[in-house]
Amino acid sequence: MENELREKAKELLESGEVAVVIGYGFNRKKTRITPVFITKPEETDKLVFNELCVNNLSIYLTRKYRDIQKIGRPAIVAKGCDIKNIVVLITEGQTKREDIHILGVTCSGVVYKQELFKGELKPEIMPSKCHNCDVRNPHVADTVIGEKSDFTPPEEPTGMVFDKIKEIDAMSDSARWDFWNEHFNRCIKCYACRQLCSLCYCERCITEKNMPQWIETSAHPRGNLAWNLIRAMHLAGRCTFCGECERGCPVNIPLNLVNQKLVLTVKNAFGFESGIDENVHPPMIVFSEDDNENFIK
Amino acid sequence: MTDKYISKDGLNGLIASVKASGGRFVAPVLDTRQVVYKEVSSAEEIVDDYILPRNSYKEIAFPQTEILAKYELTRDGVTIDPVEIVARDTVVFGARPCEAASLASLNSVFTWDFIDETFTKRQEKVVVLSLGCVDADDECFCTTVNLSPASTEGSDVALYETENGYIVTPLTDKGTAFVSAHSDSFTDVAKGEEKKELVNPEKVEGVDLTKLGERLAKSPNYDNPEWAELTRKCCGCGACTYSCPTCHCFDIIDEGTAFEGERRKNWDACQFNHFTLHASGHNPRDTQYKRYRNRFMCKFHIYPTKFNSTGCVGCGRCIRVCPVRLDITDLMTAMSS
C-alpha cells in the first residue's frame, strides 16, 4: 500500500499536477508519525501509512496556512474520516474540489493516541469513530489507495463515547453542570482543540476579537465554560467527529462527548450527516421548507 | 548541613508539619489519567512512577490567570484598587532537576528591567525539593542542553530515591532552613541506605549549542527557507508554551463592563496568530513558521545572550504534548550544522 502511495505521489509531482503532497511520515527516531510536506519526487519515499496516522491533515488546506498554499496545488493523503472534513471545507466554500487532489487511503482503524500503541492495534486503543466507521473506503477521492475494506459498521453505534452520552443524558441538570464544569475547569486555553480542527478555519477566532472582548479569555471557570460552549455551538451540524480536538487536548477534556452529542442532535433534527456529500449544504446555513418546526411552540 | 533521610511513609509527617506552619505542599498526583503538580494533604496521593508532570510548577509563581487590580467607574470618577499579591509558603516536592533549573531563568526575565512583584514575591516563598530521575523517556533531552538528573541548579533541597525513601541534601540557605524547620520529619541516613542509580537520557546526536547560538545570531539565517520547511506543520496551538517551564509571556486584559471589572494578567503564547497582530492589521509574523521560529530563537538565542542562561532545560514537555509531533530537537540538530 505504501509503495502504491509513493508511486502515485511521485507521478503527481513529476507531472506537475500537484506541487506538494501533504502526507504522513516518521519522526527522526522512527517512533511516531508526523505530518510531512513532500515537494520533490525523489522524497516521496518518506510517505508512510499505518495505524499511527491519526492526524487529520485537512487543517493544512485552510487559509491559515498561507505558506503551504504558496507552494501550489496540493495532494493530500486522507482517510475516509479526514475526507469528511475536506467535504465540509468544500461545501462551505473554503476550498474547491478541483483545487486539491485527494489521495484517499483505505483504512482499518487508527490509534486514539500514538502513545498508546505498543506494536498492535487493539480495539481498546481505537477511538469510537473507528469502531463505527462507514468510510473505511474513501467516499470522495481522486485516487483510492489500498485494498478495499469490507467492514460494515454496527447498526447501533457502539463505544465508550456513546455509552457515556447516554449516561450524561440521564443525569440531572445540576449533575450535568457539575460534570462539565469539572472537566472545563482544567482547560488551559491553549486552543489546541481549535488549531487541530480544520472546521475552525476562521482567521480571526471570536476569542481574538477584543474590541470589545466578546469572550473572556482568562482560564477561569467562566472563561473556560464560555470558550468550550462557543466552540461547540460553532461546530453544530458541521463537526464530523474526527476526534482531533480531544486527541490534542493536553488536559484530557472529553470533547468527543460534546461533539458526538451535537452530531446526534443534528441528525435527529435535520436527518443530516456532515461530510458525506460535497454538493449538500449543512443545515445551519440553508433554509428548507422541510425543516422540522416542532420546536416552535 | 549533612545529608538527612525521609522514608516514603514519613512524608506524611512532613506534609502535616508544612501544613501546620501555614504552608502548602505541592507534589505530583494522578488527575484524569495524567500526572500533574497539585496540592496534596497526604503522602498516599503522591505518585512516584512518573517521568515529569504534565504542567510546569512555574504556575505557582506565575499563575495562568490572576487579578492585578479592580476598577470602578462612578459619577465621581474612576477608582482603581490594586489587588494584594497573595504569596503562600509553598513546597514543591518531586520537581525534576531540569525543571528546577527553569525557575532561575524565569526569574531573570521577571527582574530584568522591572521587578515584577507578582512573580518575585511568590517565588521567594517557594522551596524546591528536586528529585533525581531514575527513569527517562524518549522525549527527555536534558543532557543535550548541559543539564542532567544530577543537576542542582534552582533546587533548594536535592532528593535522591532509595528503596523505601529519599536521601535529603540541602543545597541553599532556604533549603537548609526548610530542613531545620521541619527537622522532626527527617532522620539521619542509616548505614547501607543506597541511592538508586540516576538515569541519563541519551544526548541528541549532532546538537552543538555554541554553533546553534552562533547560527541564530547571524541575521541572514533568519530568513533561511529551512525554517518553513522544518516547521510548517506547526498547528499554532499553545500547548508547548503552556507546558514549557521557561515560557513566560503574558497579556494584560480588562475583563468586565465599562463600569466595573478587573484587570488580569493572563498567560499568552507567541504561537498564537494575534500575539503580534498590530492594530493596523499588519502582522509581522504572518505565518506559523515565523511564530515557531520566534519561540526557538527565544530559547536558544535571546535567553543565552540576554540573560546568560539557557532558555531550554530539555524537559521534553513540548515534544510530548505536541499534537503534530514537532520535535524541537530536530530543529536543534538542523540548526547546529
Side-chain angles (χ1 to χ4, degrees):
Chain A
M1 177 177 184
E2 278 176 355
N3 280 340
E4 204 185 326
L5 177 65
R6 291 167 187 163
E7 282 306 311
K8 185 66 199 175
K10 200 173 186 178
E11 186 191 312
L12 289 170
L13 286 168
E14 272 172 351
S15 68
E17 201 180 312
V18 303
V20 57
V21 178
I22 305 169
Y24 304 98
F26 272 114
N27 65 351
R28 185 169 38 92
K29 293 173 197 150
K30 302 244 180 293
T31 48
R32 301 270 195 261
I33 291 295
T34 178
V36 291
F37 303 88
I38 310 286
T39 50
K40 296 179 188 127
E42 62 272 21
E43 285 179 356
T44 49
D45 282 354
K46 285 187 187 164
L47 288 170
V48 295
F49 188 74
N50 56 36
E51 54 278 81
L52 291 177
C53 297
V54 51
N55 287 47
N56 185 339
L57 302 177
S58 61
I59 52 168
Y60 299 117
L61 298 175
T62 61
R63 276 181 294 177
K64 286 179 188 171
Y65 294 87
R66 283 209 185 81
D67 64 309
I68 295 172
Q69 283 171 354
K70 256 190 224 159
I71 305 172
R73 185 171 187 252
I76 180 164
V77 179
K79 311 179 289 287
C81 48
D82 307 335
I83 293 172
K84 286 188 180 177
N85 285 47
I86 301 176
V87 166
V88 181
L89 289 176
I90 295 167
T91 56
E92 296 184 0
Q94 295 306 306
T95 187
K96 290 193 184 115
R97 178 70 190 85
E98 59 273 22
D99 286 350
I100 42 171
H101 185 104
I102 302 175
L103 285 164
V105 282
T106 59
C107 173
S108 46
V110 288
V111 287
Y112 172 66
K113 283 189 182 185
Q114 292 198 48
E115 296 75 23
L116 299 172
F117 189 72
K118 302 275 180 285
E120 194 189 344
L121 185 68
K122 291 181 182 157
E124 57 267 30
I125 60 165
M126 285 160 71
S128 291
K129 71 166 177 180
C130 293
H131 294 297
N132 301 291
C133 185
D134 54 358
V135 285
R136 290 199 175 189
N137 296 307
H139 57 301
V140 180
D142 295 279
T143 311
V144 175
I145 286 160
E147 273 174 42
K148 205 169 186 287
S149 163
D150 51 10
F151 176 81
T152 21
E155 235 162 73
E156 268 297 303
T158 56
M160 225 159 24
V161 169
F162 297 92
D163 297 341
K164 195 75 196 174
I165 287 176
K166 279 181 202 142
E167 201 182 299
I168 296 169
D169 281 348
M171 284 180 183
S172 67
D173 288 356
S174 67
R176 212 181 297 167
W177 176 250
D178 291 345
F179 174 87
W180 284 114
N181 270 333
E182 191 198 319
H183 283 296
F184 291 153
N185 277 354
R186 286 199 306 280
C187 179
I188 55 168
K189 290 281 175 91
C190 70
Y191 300 113
C193 47
R194 177 186 75 192
Q195 296 304 112
L196 284 175
C197 177
S198 50
L199 306 185
C200 271
Y201 51 66
C202 291
E203 283 179 281
R204 198 156 184 195
C205 175
I206 193 159
T207 61
E208 291 162 3
K209 293 189 176 157
N210 51 8
M211 290 195 301
Q213 186 73 49
W214 285 82
I215 298 179
E216 292 182 347
T217 48
S218 308
H220 50 42
R222 210 170 55 230
N224 289 346
L225 184 74
W227 161 244
N228 284 284
L229 286 187
I230 293 262
R231 182 166 179 274
M233 287 303 134
H234 284 188
L235 285 165
R238 308 172 60 230
C239 173
T240 64
F241 190 49
C242 76
E244 282 290 87
C245 49
E246 179 170 308
R247 179 183 69 83
C249 181
V251 296
N252 289 345
I253 297 175
L255 293 165
N256 278 346
L257 296 177
V258 182
N259 297 329
Q260 184 53 238
K261 179 67 187 171
L262 288 173
V263 171
L264 291 170
T265 306
V266 172
K267 200 174 177 181
N268 288 339
F270 300 97
F272 178 82
E273 232 178 292
S274 184
I276 303 297
D277 187 340
E278 78 248 45
N279 300 310
V280 178
H281 288 298
M284 296 302 158
I285 59 170
V286 287
F287 170 73
S288 156
E289 286 187 0
D290 304 329
D291 278 351
N292 215 337
E293 288 176 347
N294 60 359
F295 63 94
I296 305 171
K297 283 175 186 149
Chain B
M1 193 184 229
T2 52
D3 283 0
K4 293 280 174 187
Y5 174 81
I6 187 166
S7 69
K8 285 182 182 172
D9 296 336
L11 282 176
N12 271 323
L14 181 63
I15 296 169
S17 175
V18 167
K19 279 177 127 19
S21 60
R24 56 180 172 169
F25 199 92
V26 172
V29 299
L30 200 62
D31 177 24
T32 329
R33 313 189 300 282
Q34 290 180 321
V35 177
V36 290
Y37 286 120
K38 259 195 170 177
E39 190 176 350
V40 296
S41 47
S42 80
E44 287 68 40
E45 293 171 52
I46 304 174
V47 288
D48 57 1
D49 176 24
Y50 68 100
I51 301 290
L52 203 71
R54 191 266 306 154
N55 57 339
S56 156
Y57 71 80
K58 73 175 177 188
E59 61 192 44
I60 294 166
F62 175 37
Q64 172 145 30
T65 178
E66 66 179 301
I67 306 170
L68 298 176
K70 294 192 172 177
Y71 65 86
E72 197 180 355
L73 177 72
T74 59
R75 265 173 212 282
D76 310 322
V78 182
T79 54
I80 298 174
D81 296 317
V83 170
E84 206 187 325
I85 301 158
V86 183
R88 285 181 65 191
D89 282 320
T90 305
V91 179
V92 183
F93 170 87
R96 292 303 185 194
C98 55
E99 193 171 8
S102 69
L103 223 54
S105 295
L106 279 181
N107 195 55
S108 47
V109 176
F110 285 116
T111 56
W112 158 56
D113 55 347
F114 166 79
I115 310 289
D116 188 341
E117 289 190 341
T118 59
F119 177 86
T120 54
K121 281 194 172 170
R122 291 196 186 101
Q123 198 218 348
E124 283 160 13
K125 300 265 190 173
V126 177
V127 180
V128 179
L129 313 186
S130 67
L131 177 58
C133 319
V134 292
D135 199 4
D137 66 9
D138 268 2
E139 284 78 22
C140 288
F141 65 99
C142 61
T143 47
T144 313
V145 291
N146 303 329
L147 290 168
S148 83
S151 304
T152 52
E153 192 188 335
S155 170
D156 296 306
V157 179
L159 303 177
Y160 300 97
E161 215 175 327
T162 65
E163 193 53 41
N164 296 309
Y166 307 93
I167 290 178
V168 180
T169 311
L171 300 163
T172 59
D173 291 347
K174 213 198 249 181
T176 310
F178 171 78
V179 175
S180 310
H182 304 284
S183 55
D184 288 353
S185 307
F186 301 96
T187 59
D188 288 332
V189 185
K191 243 190 177 172
E193 198 67 46
E194 264 186 51
K195 292 178 185 175
K196 283 188 185 170
E197 202 185 333
L198 299 183
V199 171
N200 278 302
E202 242 175 80
K203 244 183 156 170
V204 178
E205 227 175 287
V207 176
D208 181 331
L209 290 183
T210 318
K211 274 192 196 164
L212 176 62
E214 279 168 10
R215 183 172 163 164
L216 295 181
K218 288 182 194 142
S219 57
N221 293 329
Y222 194 67
D223 292 318
N224 192 323
E226 214 176 350
W227 286 109
E229 283 159 28
L230 290 164
T231 66
R232 61 166 54 109
K233 64 183 168 191
C234 175
C235 71
C237 73
C240 52
T241 54
Y242 285 0
S243 12
C244 176
T246 63
C247 275
H248 51 261
C249 286
F250 61 85
D251 186 23
I252 306 266
I253 57 140
D254 290 340
E255 224 168 55
T257 65
F259 302 101
E260 59 175 339
E262 52 205 26
R263 174 155 291 185
R264 281 181 173 267
K265 175 181 167 189
N266 286 346
W267 284 1
D268 202 355
C270 58
Q271 300 307 293
F272 295 154
N273 167 43
H274 64 296
F275 186 79
T276 48
L277 182 62
H278 295 181
S280 65
H282 171 66
N283 193 344
R285 295 184 203 141
D286 56 350
T287 46
Q288 195 55 40
Y289 78 85
K290 292 182 184 168
R291 295 168 207 140
Y292 192 88
R293 177 180 62 194
N294 176 73
R295 182 163 190 272
F296 193 78
M297 294 281 286
C298 181
K299 304 282 177 226
F300 298 102
H301 175 61
I302 301 171
Y303 254 113
T305 50
K306 201 163 192 160
F307 305 118
N308 199 23
S309 68
T310 168
C312 174
V313 294
C315 69
R317 280 199 183 96
C318 57
I319 310 172
R320 286 183 204 99
V321 83
C322 180
V324 297
R325 303 298 299 193
L326 178 49
D327 189 330
I328 198 166
T329 61
D330 285 357
L331 252 85
M332 291 165 75
T333 318
M335 296 288 163
S336 292
S337 59

